[in-house]
Amino acid sequence: EQGSVDMTKYLVGTTLANDAIIIGAYLDNLSYQGGAEFKADIQVAVMKEGKEMLTGYSLKLYSGKSVGLANTSPKRLAGHLVGPEAEKKVASAIANDQKLQELIANAKHADKQKKLAAKEGDKVAVDKWFKIRQDARSPINPICAKHAYDVIKPHVNTPEFGENLLRLIGFKDKDTKMLMAVTTAKKSEIIDAHPELDVTNLSLEHVGVSIKIVGPTGKTIVSFGSKEGERKAMSGKVSFANVEPVDLADLPLGQD
């Protein structure tokens, strides 16, 4: 609730600071159709000096400054960062990995049995199949990450790679603004800017379930984690720790 209130204060306050009026807003549920780089969740219509302007915002609500900005899969990650041929290579590597396919089959079977047990109200069976599913899933995640890593790594220092990375996490979407509330039990902070990511001289590391993209200073700038085993999901995280938060007290919020 506090994060939502603070984001609202930000939208109203920045509009007032620009001598403008909010005349409407709508959810932008179809922004994803523009491609992976488009992240708008809401469009805000503002009237200033008789002209109507529409601004898209990517709304985020987090309890920490490590932010998920890309939901994908091992093969799609390779496709986004390298291209269609890389996506095919990862898909082929996963399909032809016999050990991996056995683990995926076991995890799917255990997941199905767990759901049946839950329907029947058999808690003992649910716990049993949950454990079996976890045992199958655990090795799936690092194997999937490794297959994506092997295909992506040779391309990490191509001119296109850095551009593709920024596009994937939404940092090339100039029409959408970042608006994030980082809230904890003690405080709430508003962040409205991306961290500066130096995408020159990148390197790639595979650590367990993660593929880490490391910048020229040796600092991890983006990490992609493989998760959910047989579902072959991946998510990308970026740290916003170095971005200066907005001071809402500096914004004119009016009397109402």
Side-chain angles (χ1 to χ4, degrees):
E1 287 177 359
Q2 185 60 51
S4 296
V5 167
D6 285 348
M7 284 192 281
T8 303
K9 284 181 179 177
Y10 173 89
L11 289 171
V12 173
T14 52
T15 302
L16 289 171
N18 284 293
D19 296 322
I21 302 169
I22 294 176
I23 58 173
Y26 66 92
L27 297 178
D28 194 358
N29 294 328
L30 300 179
S31 65
Y32 70 90
Q33 291 183 345
E37 68 268 33
F38 292 94
K39 306 288 185 183
D41 296 309
I42 189 173
Q43 297 275 356
V44 179
V46 170
M47 183 71 74
K48 182 176 180 180
E49 297 176 352
K51 293 182 180 179
E52 183 178 330
M53 295 170 288
L54 197 61
T55 304
Y57 288 90
S58 176
L59 305 179
K60 303 290 179 188
L61 186 60
Y62 281 91
S63 59
K65 293 184 179 179
S66 182
V67 178
L69 292 177
N71 290 308
T72 184
S73 66
K75 68 174 186 178
R76 292 291 291 155
L77 178 63
H80 285 309
L81 294 177
V82 181
E85 286 306 310
E87 182 172 335
K88 289 177 186 175
K89 284 181 181 178
V90 174
S92 177
I94 288 174
N96 292 321
D97 187 327
Q98 193 59 43
K99 178 186 174 184
L100 176 60
Q101 289 304 315
E102 288 174 8
L103 288 166
I104 289 173
N106 291 341
K108 284 182 176 178
H109 175 69
D111 186 58
K112 184 177 179 182
Q113 294 302 315
K114 177 182 168 291
K115 287 175 180 173
L116 286 172
K119 235 181 224 184
E120 294 166 0
D122 188 342
K123 188 177 184 309
V124 173
V126 167
D127 292 343
K128 169 194 162 186
W129 287 110
F130 176 82
K131 175 70 167 59
I132 293 172
R133 187 186 69 179
Q134 287 302 100
D135 289 344
R137 275 185 173 182
S138 293
I140 290 173
N141 293 325
I143 294 171
C144 284
K146 181 66 163 60
H147 282 309
Y149 167 84
D150 288 342
V151 173
I152 295 169
K153 186 172 174 58
H155 304 272
V156 72
N157 273 314
T158 60
E160 299 82 12
F161 187 87
E163 291 290 304
N164 291 339
L165 174 62
L166 295 175
R167 186 174 293 110
L168 174 60
I169 60 179
F171 286 18
K172 295 290 286 183
D173 181 5
K174 302 302 183 186
D175 295 326
T176 300
K177 294 185 177 181
M178 171 68 64
L179 180 53
M180 179 167 66
V182 179
T183 61
T184 63
K186 295 182 179 178
K187 65 178 181 177
S188 175
E189 292 181 327
I190 289 290
I191 293 175
D192 67 348
H194 295 138
E196 291 295 325
L197 301 183
D198 186 349
V199 294
T200 59
N201 299 314
L202 298 173
S203 61
L204 209 65
E205 296 178 3
H206 170 237
V207 183
V209 301
S210 298
I211 297 173
K212 296 183 177 182
I213 298 178
V214 181
T217 64
K219 179 183 176 183
T220 298
I221 59 174
V222 183
S223 65
F224 293 93
S226 183
K227 60 182 184 178
E228 298 182 34
E230 73 281 4
R231 296 175 187 170
K232 300 188 288 294
M234 292 198 87
S235 61
K237 288 192 172 184
V238 180
S239 174
F240 281 67
N242 294 325
V243 180
E244 193 70 26
V246 174
D247 189 349
L248 291 177
D250 287 344
L251 297 176
L253 297 175
Q255 303 300 314
D256 299 327

